[in-house]
Amino acid sequence: MHEMSIVESIMEIIEDQARLYNSPKVVTVSLEFGALSGVMPSAVEFAFEVLSKNTVAEGAVLAISIIPLKIKCLDCAGESTLEDYQPTCPLCNSELITFLQGRNELRVASLELEDPAPGPAP
């Protein structure tokens, strides 16, 4: 399950950002994956639950968005957003297409961090 290694990398990013902003807790983690990235959201959710235990991200809300597949036809220059992968342009049936989005994206879109506890007054 490659989702476990993906979430391990995501946890490193989360912990680095929490440390950078001196945050004791991560409230929300927003992730974006391309429709063709091969990532299974349910496997990511499971891996996140396991790997976030006893970390700043334990109990955080995990929001996963799937970036739809968008292509451009090199023959008719039309752009289309596809529900399912198809190797041809839906406008002209050409096989000469290029991917604009939804193929390889794997990113932490945003993190909501809890404010650090106020320190003693100077």
Side-chain angles (χ1 to χ4, degrees):
M1 163 158 63
H2 73 286
E3 284 84 356
M4 192 65 80
S5 63
I6 290 169
V7 175
E8 285 174 345
S9 296
I10 290 168
M11 289 303 300
E12 288 178 22
I13 292 167
I14 290 169
E15 290 171 351
D16 288 347
Q17 292 300 304
R19 199 169 22 260
L20 177 67
Y21 290 99
N22 197 30
S23 177
K25 182 156 179 52
V26 176
V27 178
T28 305
V29 178
S30 297
L31 306 175
E32 295 180 338
F33 300 121
L36 291 183
S37 66
V39 174
M40 294 178 53
S42 60
V44 169
E45 290 167 352
F46 174 77
F48 183 78
E49 185 178 332
V50 170
L51 294 174
S52 66
K53 292 236 186 277
N54 301 314
T55 73
V56 295
E58 184 172 12
V61 173
L62 185 62
I64 299 175
S65 297
I66 303 300
I67 299 168
L69 182 60
K70 187 173 182 181
I71 63 165
K72 179 171 185 167
C73 179
L74 301 178
D75 277 336
C76 74
E79 293 184 7
S80 302
T81 300
L82 307 177
E83 291 295 320
D84 296 308
Y85 174 73
Q86 60 189 52
T88 59
C89 173
L91 303 174
C92 73
N93 292 320
S94 171
E95 294 180 0
L96 296 173
I97 59 172
T98 187
F99 296 97
L100 300 177
Q101 70 175 32
R103 187 169 176 205
N104 296 320
E105 297 90 348
L106 298 166
R107 62 178 161 244
V108 176
S110 67
L111 296 174
E112 181 184 350
L113 305 173
E114 194 173 272
D115 288 334

